């Protein structure tokens, strides 16, 4: 194993401006962690919205500079203090502080606490696992939340917003596989045919979906929803969800503020379920990855994948932040 590794380095210069570069670092400089720790050779990483923010030094994501983004890793154990992880074993590392306050997966090596590491389950190839990544893990949590709150396949139509993004596109595939009637909301007309191929029974233009009126309730249309957008999109979904429905909320690309009333909750008894992937407890984390490797495994994963190099990441980050990105950009390391 080489004594250096290549990584995507984000730092601030003397003027306080964020700079990006791809550099070689010494293995001796890997962040130290408390034992038991695992050192992983990164085989695959990916681009998520949180990574795009980290790559540009967003203060809500990056707490310390210099920094390495990347909240998704599929790799092989180099060495470990924990006997449950053997040298050469393929593992998944997502969430926790990876790529935020801890150097992340846009790197040929990482060193993390053993409590962050999940064995790759049978039924998933490494490439499939990285296409899923945090996006698939989050999508599966959203589906789990709907089911937990009684929104089943026969309950009525379920809406998925931000439908061409990574989380939403996988959520559509899982829901469709489970027999749900899925309506996909998207502002990208060129993606409508893909959305139907992934399992959406109906595709709604974002401008036709959003209702900016101040009415506290709108016609009850949806049994539930997966919202990856936030802002006025989530506000509309709250007002159009039917009695005892549930919305799983996991994104804020459309805004972090929420202007609503208590009427959807008091008069229709709906549930707004917040989805946090980073700190998901390990028992649930293992359950979800096993589901994604078996009965919830999307059939169209390769259709989502766009393979790029480490050098391509700056352009991909710009595309994502401009709202022009779709599917899953994966990076072989």
């Amino acid at each position: 194993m080489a004594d250096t590794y290549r990584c995507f380095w984000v730092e601030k210069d003397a003027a306080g401006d964020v700079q990006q570069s791809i550099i070689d670092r010494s293995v001796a400089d890997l962040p130290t962690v408390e034992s038991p720790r695992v050192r992983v050779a990164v085989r695959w990483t990916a681009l998520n919205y949180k990574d795009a923010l980290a790559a540009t030094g967003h203060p809500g994501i990056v707490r310390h500079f210099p920094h390495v983004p990347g909240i998704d890793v599929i790799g092989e154990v180099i060495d470990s203090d924990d006997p449950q992880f053997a040298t050469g074993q393929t593992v998944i590392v997502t969430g926790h502080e990876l790529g935020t306050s801890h150097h992340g997966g846009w790197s040929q090596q990482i060193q993390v606490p053993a409590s962050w590491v999940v064995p790759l389950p049978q039924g998933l190839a490494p490439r499939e696992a990285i296409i899923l990544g945090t996006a698939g893990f989050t999508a599966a949590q959203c589906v789990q939340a709907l089911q937990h709150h009684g929104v089943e396949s026969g309950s009525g139509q379920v809406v998925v917003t931000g439908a061409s993004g990574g989380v939403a596109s996988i959520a559509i595939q899982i829901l469709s596989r489970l027999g749900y009637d899925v309506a996909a909301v998207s502002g990208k007309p060129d993606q409508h045919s893909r959305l139907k191929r992934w399992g959406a029974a109906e595709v709604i233009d974002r401008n036709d979906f959003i209702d900016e009126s101040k009415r506290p309730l709108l016609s009850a249309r949806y049994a539930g929803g997966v919202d990856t957008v936030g802002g006025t999109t989530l506000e509309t979904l709250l007002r159009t969800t039917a009695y005892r429905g549930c919305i799983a909320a996991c994104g804020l690309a459309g805004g972090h503020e929420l202007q609503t009333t208590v009427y959807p909750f008091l008069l229709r008894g709906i549930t707004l379920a917040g989805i946090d992937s980073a700190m998901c407890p390990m028992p649930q984390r293992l359950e979800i990855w096993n589901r994604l490797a078996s009965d919830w495994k999307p059939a169209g994963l390769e259709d989502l994948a766009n393979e790029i190099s480490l050098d391509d990441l700056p352009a991909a980050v710009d595309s994502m932040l401009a709202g022009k990105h779709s599917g899953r950009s994966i990076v072989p390391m």
Side-chain angles (χ1 to χ4, degrees):
M1 181 65 64
D3 57 5
T4 62
Y5 64 94
R6 199 168 184 236
C7 66
F8 189 104
W9 197 246
V10 181
E11 59 186 338
K12 282 189 176 180
D13 62 18
D17 296 322
V18 174
Q19 304 292 334
Q20 304 169 345
S21 58
I22 296 172
I23 65 171
D24 291 323
R25 299 272 296 167
S26 169
V27 169
D29 293 330
L30 281 168
T32 58
V33 295
E34 291 184 4
S35 184
R37 53 94 215 162
V38 180
R39 184 160 63 105
V40 177
V42 179
R43 301 307 184 200
W44 291 96
T45 188
L47 170 63
N48 299 276
Y49 189 72
K50 185 180 284 188
D51 299 322
L53 295 177
T56 53
H58 191 287
I61 303 298
V62 183
R63 298 170 178 83
H64 308 285
F65 291 94
H67 180 67
V68 179
I71 63 172
D72 285 344
V73 163
I74 308 298
E76 296 168 3
V77 174
I78 299 171
D79 53 60
S80 170
D81 298 336
D82 190 322
Q84 71 173 313
F85 299 112
T87 299
Q89 182 179 0
T90 303
V91 295
I92 300 168
V93 188
T94 64
H96 299 279
E97 298 173 4
L98 187 72
T100 55
S101 60
H102 188 89
H103 284 191
W106 291 6
S107 172
Q108 290 177 329
Q109 289 192 34
I110 60 169
Q111 188 160 257
V112 297
S115 60
W116 295 8
V117 182
V118 173
L120 182 73
Q122 288 187 343
L124 269 187
R127 181 181 170 92
E128 292 174 326
I130 199 61
I131 297 172
L132 288 165
T134 293
F137 183 74
T138 303
Q141 280 195 90
C142 291
V143 174
Q144 188 181 60
L146 295 183
Q147 292 187 338
H148 179 74
H149 290 94
V151 180
E152 302 292 344
S153 59
S155 299
Q157 193 169 56
V158 171
V159 66
V160 179
T161 67
S164 62
V167 174
S169 56
I170 296 173
I172 290 168
Q173 292 196 40
I174 296 173
L175 289 166
S176 175
R177 175 167 182 170
L178 297 176
Y180 285 80
D181 176 14
V182 182
V185 176
S186 174
K188 299 174 181 176
D190 61 319
Q191 296 294 314
H192 287 194
S193 61
R194 292 183 83 191
L195 295 172
K196 290 194 172 181
R197 187 165 69 246
W198 292 336
E202 179 183 5
V203 180
I204 305 170
D205 186 271
R206 180 177 58 206
N207 293 326
D208 294 331
F209 177 80
I210 293 174
D211 186 313
E212 295 185 344
S213 72
K214 300 302 181 183
R215 287 177 289 173
L217 289 173
L218 301 169
S219 296
R221 177 173 179 182
Y222 304 110
V226 173
D227 178 63
T228 71
V229 179
T232 55
T233 300
L234 178 54
E235 292 164 16
T236 300
L237 183 51
L238 283 168
R239 294 182 292 151
T240 52
T241 298
Y243 184 71
R244 291 289 175 177
C246 174
I247 301 165
C250 62
L252 47 68
H256 67 277
E257 294 185 352
L258 183 62
Q259 303 294 327
T260 189
T261 71
V262 298
Y263 288 112
F265 308 102
L266 300 186
L267 299 184
R268 291 182 178 167
I270 73 168
T271 297
L272 178 59
I275 304 300
D276 166 49
S277 294
M279 303 309 293
C280 179
M282 185 56 76
Q284 184 182 1
R285 190 177 291 271
L286 293 170
E287 177 190 354
I288 287 174
W289 276 112
N290 285 325
R291 283 281 185 89
L292 287 169
S294 54
D295 56 323
W296 286 15
K297 184 177 179 179
L301 282 178
E302 279 298 334
D303 197 26
L304 296 173
N306 173 38
E307 187 172 320
I308 63 175
S309 71
L310 198 63
D311 297 300
D312 295 328
L313 277 168
V317 164
D318 291 343
S319 177
M320 177 168 280
L321 293 178
K324 298 177 180 178
H325 186 271
S326 62
R328 291 280 290 158
S329 289
I330 59 173
V331 186
M333 297 296 290

